[in-house]
Amino acid sequence: MRRIITVVLAVMLVAAVSAQASLFKSIWKSPDAGPMNYFGKKIAAVVITDDQGLQMSAEEALARELTSRGVQGVAAYRMIPREEMKDAEKAKGWFERSKVEGAVVMRVVSMERDVTYRPGMWSNVYYQSLWGFYNYGYAAVYVPGGRSEQSSVTIETLIFDVPTAKLLWAGVS
C-alpha cells in the first residue's frame, strides 16, 4: 500500500505543480495572491505523514519535480530534524534560516480500499442420465473465482508563500 501512496503522491505533485485542474476534485486560489513567480527561488517540498520512508521518497520526488520546473526544490526532511517537524515554531525557524520562499505541502486525507470477490463455478454438460453425462463428464470445466481490489486515496495539496505565511493555492485530488 505504501508504494501505491508514493505513486499517487508523485502523480498528484506533478499535477499540483503543473496546475492540471482535471486531476483535482476541487481547487482554490487566493483572490489576493496575484501571479506566482518563484523562478530560481527555494521551495520546500513537505509531505505530512508519520511514515518516514514515505515522507522521504515523496518529498524527494516532489523536490525533483519542482526543480525541473525552474525553482530550487528542497525536501523538507533535509532541512528540518524529524523531531522538530511537527512543531510549527521550530519548523518556522528552519524555513527562515534556509531562506525558503515557498512551500508545497501534501498530505493523505483518506484512504479507502474496495475488495470484490467472484466465486468459482463449475461448467458442465448434460446431467439427466449417467450415460448422457459419462463421456462428457471429463470435459467439465472449473472457472476459479477471483478477487479484485480498488484503492482510492484522497490527497490535499497546499502552496504557501513562506515569508508572508499566506495560503496561495489549494487542491484536493
Side-chain angles (χ1 to χ4, degrees):
M1 185 55 128
R2 186 172 145 213
R3 180 178 161 87
I4 292 170
I5 294 172
T6 303
V7 170
V8 170
L9 280 172
V11 169
M12 292 299 99
L13 70 90
V14 171
V17 175
S18 304
Q20 294 176 359
S22 63
L23 293 176
F24 290 92
K25 288 183 192 178
S26 65
I27 58 171
W28 174 86
K29 183 178 178 187
S30 174
D32 59 330
M36 292 184 268
N37 185 3
Y38 288 94
F39 188 80
K41 296 180 181 176
K42 190 180 284 189
I43 306 296
V46 182
V47 176
I48 298 174
T49 180
D50 287 331
D51 183 335
Q52 187 174 9
L54 174 61
Q55 176 194 1
M56 293 169 69
S57 60
E59 284 182 0
E60 287 293 344
L62 178 53
R64 279 191 305 274
E65 185 63 31
L66 289 167
T67 299
S68 75
R69 301 200 179 264
V71 299
Q72 185 184 352
V74 180
Y77 82 92
R78 292 185 178 269
M79 296 184 305
I80 306 168
R82 185 150 180 83
E83 61 275 2
E84 295 189 12
M85 195 69 152
K86 291 183 180 181
D87 185 319
E89 283 305 310
K90 291 179 181 176
K92 180 181 176 183
W94 286 98
F95 279 94
E96 290 172 350
R97 288 189 293 278
S98 298
K99 298 186 182 348
V100 170
E101 294 291 323
V104 177
V105 182
M106 299 180 83
R107 72 182 178 109
V108 175
V109 177
S110 70
M111 292 185 339
E112 297 175 13
R113 181 181 291 171
D114 294 324
V115 179
T116 304
Y117 296 97
R118 292 178 317 280
M121 67 178 195
W122 279 95
S123 175
N124 207 331
V125 294
Y126 191 62
Y127 280 99
Q128 187 172 6
S129 73
L130 172 63
W131 305 121
F133 163 78
Y134 194 84
N135 287 336
Y136 301 100
Y138 291 103
V141 176
Y142 176 70
V143 179
R147 170 188 141 149
S148 62
E149 204 171 293
Q150 175 84 27
S151 296
S152 299
V153 180
T154 303
I155 298 171
E156 176 182 60
T157 304
L158 307 169
I159 301 174
F160 290 93
D161 180 71
V162 173
T164 64
K166 286 190 175 185
L167 176 63
L168 303 174
W169 187 91
V172 176
S173 51

